Coordinates of all heavy atoms in Angstrom, one line a residue:
S93 N 41.8 -49.6 49.8 CA 42.2 -48.4 50.7 C 42.3 -48.9 52.1 O 43.0 -48.2 52.9 CB 41.3 -47.3 50.5 OG 40.0 -47.5 51.2
L94 N 41.7 -50.0 52.5 CA 41.9 -50.5 53.9 C 43.1 -51.4 54.0 O 43.3 -51.9 55.1 CB 40.6 -51.3 54.2 CG 39.3 -50.5 54.2 CD1 38.1 -51.5 54.3 CD2 39.3 -49.6 55.5
G95 N 43.8 -51.6 52.9 CA 45.0 -52.4 53.0 C 44.7 -53.9 52.8 O 45.6 -54.8 53.1
W96 N 43.5 -54.2 52.3 CA 43.2 -55.6 52.1 C 43.7 -56.1 50.8 O 43.5 -55.4 49.8 CB 41.7 -55.8 52.2 CG 41.1 -55.5 53.5 CD1 41.7 -55.3 54.7 CD2 39.7 -55.4 53.8 NE1 40.8 -55.1 55.8 CE2 39.6 -55.1 55.2 CE3 38.5 -55.4 53.1 CZ2 38.3 -54.9 55.9 CZ3 37.3 -55.3 53.7 CH2 37.2 -55.0 55.1
P97 N 44.2 -57.4 50.7 CA 44.5 -58.0 49.4 C 43.3 -58.4 48.6 O 43.4 -58.6 47.4 CB 45.4 -59.2 49.8 CG 44.9 -59.5 51.2 CD 44.5 -58.3 51.8
D98 N 42.2 -58.6 49.3 CA 41.0 -59.0 48.6 C 39.8 -58.7 49.5 O 40.0 -58.3 50.6 CB 41.0 -60.5 48.1 CG 41.4 -61.4 49.3 OD1 40.9 -61.2 50.5 OD2 42.1 -62.4 49.1
L99 N 38.6 -58.9 49.0 CA 37.4 -58.7 49.7 C 36.8 -60.0 50.1 O 36.5 -60.9 49.2 CB 36.4 -57.9 48.9 CG 35.0 -57.6 49.6 CD1 35.3 -56.7 50.8 CD2 34.1 -56.9 48.6
A100 N 36.6 -60.3 51.4 CA 36.0 -61.5 51.8 C 34.5 -61.6 51.4 O 33.8 -60.6 51.6 CB 36.1 -61.6 53.4
L101 N 34.1 -62.7 50.9 CA 32.8 -62.9 50.4 C 31.9 -63.4 51.6 O 32.3 -64.1 52.4 CB 32.7 -63.9 49.2 CG 33.4 -63.5 48.0 CD1 33.3 -64.5 46.9 CD2 33.0 -62.1 47.5
P102 N 30.6 -63.0 51.6 CA 29.7 -63.4 52.7 C 29.3 -64.8 52.6 O 29.3 -65.4 51.5 CB 28.5 -62.4 52.5 CG 28.5 -62.1 51.0 CD 30.0 -62.1 50.6
F103 N 28.9 -65.4 53.7 CA 28.4 -66.7 53.7 C 27.0 -66.8 53.2 O 26.5 -67.8 52.7 CB 28.4 -67.3 55.1 CG 29.8 -67.5 55.7 CD1 30.3 -66.6 56.7 CD2 30.6 -68.5 55.2 CE1 31.5 -66.8 57.2 CE2 31.9 -68.7 55.7 CZ 32.4 -67.8 56.7
R104 N 26.2 -65.7 53.3 CA 24.8 -65.7 52.8 C 24.5 -64.2 52.3 O 25.2 -63.3 52.8 CB 23.8 -66.1 53.9 CG 23.7 -65.1 55.0 CD 22.6 -65.5 56.0 NE 22.9 -66.8 56.6 CZ 22.7 -67.1 57.9 NH1 22.3 -66.2 58.7 NH2 23.0 -68.2 58.4
W105 N 23.6 -64.1 51.4 CA 23.3 -62.8 50.9 C 22.3 -62.1 51.7 O 22.3 -60.8 51.7 CB 22.8 -62.9 49.4 CG 23.8 -63.5 48.5 CD1 23.7 -64.7 47.8 CD2 25.1 -63.0 48.1 NE1 24.8 -64.9 47.1 CE2 25.7 -63.9 47.2 CE3 25.7 -61.8 48.5 CZ2 26.9 -63.6 46.7 CZ3 27.0 -61.5 47.9 CH2 27.6 -62.4 47.0
C106 N 21.4 -62.8 52.4 CA 20.4 -62.1 53.2 C 19.7 -63.2 54.1 O 19.9 -64.4 53.9 CB 19.3 -61.4 52.4 SG 18.3 -62.5 51.3
E107 N 18.9 -62.8 55.1 CA 18.2 -63.7 55.9 C 17.0 -64.3 55.0 O 16.5 -63.6 54.1 CB 17.6 -63.0 57.1 CG 18.7 -62.6 58.1 CD 19.6 -63.7 58.6 OE1 19.0 -64.8 58.7 OE2 20.8 -63.5 58.8
D108 N 16.5 -65.4 55.4 CA 15.4 -66.0 54.7 C 14.1 -65.4 55.1 O 13.7 -65.6 56.3 CB 15.4 -67.6 55.0 CG 14.3 -68.3 54.4 OD1 13.8 -67.8 53.3 OD2 13.8 -69.3 55.0
F109 N 13.4 -64.7 54.2 CA 12.2 -64.0 54.6 C 11.1 -64.9 55.1 O 10.4 -64.6 56.0 CB 11.7 -63.1 53.4 CG 10.4 -62.5 53.7 CD1 10.3 -61.4 54.6 CD2 9.3 -62.9 53.0 CE1 9.1 -60.8 54.9 CE2 8.1 -62.3 53.3 CZ 8.0 -61.2 54.2
A110 N 11.0 -66.1 54.4 CA 9.9 -67.0 54.8 C 10.1 -67.4 56.3 O 9.1 -67.5 57.0 CB 9.9 -68.2 53.9
A111 N 11.3 -67.7 56.7 CA 11.6 -68.1 58.1 C 11.4 -66.9 59.0 O 10.8 -67.1 60.1 CB 13.0 -68.6 58.2
Q112 N 11.8 -65.7 58.6 CA 11.5 -64.5 59.4 C 10.0 -64.3 59.6 O 9.5 -64.0 60.7 CB 12.1 -63.3 58.8 CG 13.6 -63.2 58.8 CD 14.1 -61.9 58.1 OE1 13.6 -61.6 57.1 NE2 15.1 -61.3 58.7
F113 N 9.3 -64.4 58.5 CA 7.8 -64.2 58.5 C 7.1 -65.2 59.4 O 6.2 -64.9 60.2 CB 7.3 -64.4 57.1 CG 5.8 -64.0 57.0 CD1 5.5 -62.6 56.8 CD2 4.8 -64.9 57.0 CE1 4.1 -62.2 56.7 CE2 3.5 -64.5 56.9 CZ 3.1 -63.2 56.7
D114 N 7.5 -66.5 59.4 CA 6.9 -67.5 60.3 C 7.2 -67.1 61.7 O 6.3 -67.3 62.6 CB 7.5 -68.9 60.0 CG 7.0 -69.4 58.7 OD1 6.0 -68.9 58.1 OD2 7.6 -70.4 58.1
T115 N 8.4 -66.7 62.0 CA 8.7 -66.3 63.4 C 7.9 -65.1 63.8 O 7.4 -65.0 64.9 CB 10.2 -65.9 63.5 OG1 11.0 -67.1 63.0 CG2 10.6 -65.5 64.9
L116 N 7.7 -64.1 62.9 CA 6.9 -62.9 63.2 C 5.5 -63.3 63.6 O 5.0 -62.8 64.6 CB 6.9 -62.0 62.0 CG 6.0 -60.8 62.0 CD1 6.5 -59.8 63.0 CD2 5.9 -60.1 60.6
V117 N 4.9 -64.2 62.8 CA 3.5 -64.6 63.1 C 3.5 -65.3 64.5 O 2.5 -65.0 65.2 CB 3.0 -65.6 62.0 CG1 1.7 -66.2 62.4 CG2 2.9 -64.9 60.6
A118 N 4.5 -66.1 64.8 CA 4.5 -66.8 66.1 C 4.7 -65.8 67.2 O 4.1 -66.0 68.3 CB 5.6 -67.8 66.1
L119 N 5.4 -64.8 67.0 CA 5.7 -63.8 68.1 C 4.5 -62.9 68.4 O 4.4 -62.3 69.5 CB 7.0 -63.0 67.7 CG 8.3 -63.7 67.8 CD1 9.4 -62.9 67.2 CD2 8.6 -64.1 69.2
K120 N 3.7 -62.7 67.4 CA 2.5 -61.8 67.5 C 2.7 -60.5 68.1 O 2.1 -60.1 69.1 CB 1.5 -62.6 68.4 CG 1.0 -63.9 67.7 CD -0.1 -64.6 68.6 CE -0.5 -65.9 67.9 NZ -1.6 -66.6 68.7
P121 N 3.6 -59.6 67.6 CA 3.7 -58.3 68.0 C 2.3 -57.6 67.6 O 1.6 -58.1 66.8 CB 4.8 -57.7 67.2 CG 4.8 -58.5 65.9 CD 4.4 -59.9 66.3
A122 N 2.1 -56.4 68.2 CA 0.9 -55.7 67.9 C 0.7 -55.3 66.5 O -0.4 -55.3 65.9 CB 0.8 -54.4 68.8
A123 N 1.9 -55.0 65.8 CA 1.8 -54.6 64.4 C 3.1 -55.0 63.7 O 4.1 -55.3 64.3 CB 1.7 -53.0 64.3
A124 N 3.0 -55.0 62.4 CA 4.2 -55.3 61.6 C 4.2 -54.4 60.3 O 3.1 -54.2 59.8 CB 4.2 -56.8 61.2
S125 N 5.3 -53.9 60.0 CA 5.4 -53.1 58.8 C 6.3 -53.8 57.8 O 7.2 -54.5 58.2 CB 5.8 -51.6 59.0 OG 7.1 -51.6 59.5
F126 N 6.1 -53.5 56.5 CA 6.9 -54.2 55.5 C 7.3 -53.2 54.4 O 6.6 -52.2 54.1 CB 6.1 -55.3 54.8 CG 5.6 -56.3 55.8 CD1 4.5 -56.2 56.5 CD2 6.4 -57.4 56.0 CE1 4.1 -57.1 57.5 CE2 6.0 -58.4 57.0 CZ 4.9 -58.2 57.7
T127 N 8.5 -53.4 53.8 CA 9.1 -52.5 52.8 C 9.8 -53.4 51.7 O 10.1 -54.5 52.0 CB 9.9 -51.4 53.4 OG1 10.2 -50.5 52.4 CG2 11.2 -52.0 54.0
F128 N 10.2 -52.7 50.7 CA 11.0 -53.3 49.5 C 10.1 -54.1 48.5 O 10.4 -54.2 47.4 CB 12.1 -54.2 49.9 CG 13.3 -53.5 50.6 CD1 13.2 -52.3 51.0 CD2 14.5 -54.2 50.7 CE1 14.3 -51.6 51.6 CE2 15.6 -53.6 51.3 CZ 15.5 -52.3 51.8
D129 N 9.0 -54.7 49.0 CA 8.0 -55.4 48.1 C 6.7 -55.5 48.9 O 6.5 -54.9 49.9 CB 8.5 -56.7 47.7 CG 8.1 -57.2 46.4 OD1 7.0 -56.7 45.9 OD2 8.7 -58.1 45.8
I130 N 5.8 -56.2 48.3 CA 4.4 -56.3 48.9 C 4.1 -57.7 49.3 O 4.6 -58.7 48.6 CB 3.4 -55.7 47.9 CG1 2.0 -55.5 48.5 CG2 3.3 -56.6 46.6 CD1 1.1 -54.7 47.7
L131 N 3.3 -57.9 50.3 CA 2.9 -59.2 50.7 C 1.7 -59.7 49.8 O 1.1 -58.9 49.1 CB 2.4 -59.1 52.1 CG 3.3 -58.7 53.2 CD1 2.6 -58.7 54.6 CD2 4.5 -59.7 53.3
S132 N 1.5 -61.0 49.9 CA 0.3 -61.6 49.2 C -0.9 -61.4 50.1 O -0.8 -61.3 51.3 CB 0.5 -63.0 48.9 OG 0.6 -63.8 50.1
P133 N -2.1 -61.5 49.6 CA -3.3 -61.5 50.4 C -3.3 -62.6 51.5 O -3.8 -62.4 52.6 CB -4.5 -61.6 49.4 CG -3.9 -61.1 48.1 CD -2.5 -61.5 48.1
Q134 N -2.7 -63.7 51.1 CA -2.7 -64.9 52.0 C -1.7 -64.5 53.2 O -2.0 -64.9 54.3 CB -2.2 -66.1 51.3 CG -3.2 -66.6 50.2 CD -3.2 -65.8 49.0 OE1 -2.2 -65.1 48.7 NE2 -4.3 -65.9 48.2
Q135 N -0.6 -63.9 52.9 CA 0.3 -63.5 54.0 C -0.4 -62.5 54.9 O -0.2 -62.6 56.2 CB 1.6 -63.0 53.4 CG 2.5 -64.0 52.8 CD 3.6 -63.4 52.0 OE1 3.5 -62.5 51.3 NE2 4.8 -64.0 52.2
V136 N -1.1 -61.5 54.4 CA -1.8 -60.5 55.2 C -2.8 -61.2 56.1 O -3.0 -60.9 57.2 CB -2.4 -59.5 54.3 CG1 -3.3 -58.5 55.1 CG2 -1.4 -58.7 53.5
Q137 N -3.5 -62.2 55.5 CA -4.5 -63.0 56.2 C -3.9 -63.7 57.4 O -4.4 -63.7 58.5 CB -5.3 -63.9 55.4 CG -6.4 -64.7 56.1 CD -7.2 -65.6 55.1 OE1 -7.0 -65.6 53.9 NE2 -8.0 -66.4 55.7
R138 N -2.7 -64.3 57.2 CA -2.0 -65.0 58.3 C -1.7 -64.0 59.4 O -1.9 -64.4 60.6 CB -0.7 -65.6 57.8 CG -0.9 -67.0 57.1 CD 0.5 -67.6 56.9 NE 1.2 -68.0 58.1 CZ 2.5 -68.3 58.2 NH1 3.2 -68.2 57.1 NH2 3.0 -68.6 59.4
L139 N -1.3 -62.9 59.1 CA -1.0 -61.8 60.1 C -2.2 -61.4 60.9 O -2.2 -61.3 62.1 CB -0.3 -60.6 59.5 CG 1.1 -60.9 58.9 CD1 1.5 -59.8 58.0 CD2 2.2 -61.0 60.0
H140 N -3.3 -61.2 60.1 CA -4.5 -60.8 60.8 C -5.1 -61.9 61.7 O -5.6 -61.6 62.8 CB -5.6 -60.5 59.7 CG -5.4 -59.2 59.1 ND1 -6.0 -58.8 57.9 CD2 -4.7 -58.1 59.5 CE1 -5.7 -57.6 57.6 NE2 -4.9 -57.1 58.5
E141 N -4.9 -63.2 61.3 CA -5.3 -64.3 62.1 C -4.6 -64.3 63.4 O -5.0 -64.8 64.4 CB -5.2 -65.6 61.4 CG -6.3 -65.7 60.3 CD -6.0 -66.9 59.4 OE1 -5.0 -67.6 59.5 OE2 -6.9 -67.2 58.5
A142 N -3.3 -63.8 63.4 CA -2.5 -63.7 64.6 C -2.7 -62.5 65.4 O -2.0 -62.2 66.4 CB -1.0 -63.8 64.2

Side-chain angles (χ1 to χ4, degrees):
S93 73
L94 294 169
W96 294 350
D98 50 42
L99 180 64
L101 298 182
F103 294 108
R104 65 176 65 136
W105 298 115
C106 64
E107 295 300 327
D108 177 29
F109 175 70
Q112 289 178 319
F113 188 84
D114 288 344
T115 303
L116 174 69
V117 172
L119 288 170
K120 298 183 179 180
S125 67
F126 300 89
T127 189
F128 288 13
D129 209 340
I130 192 168
L131 298 179
S132 68
Q134 293 75 22
Q135 288 171 318
V136 173
Q137 183 177 352
R138 279 189 67 192
L139 292 164
H140 282 163
E141 289 171 353

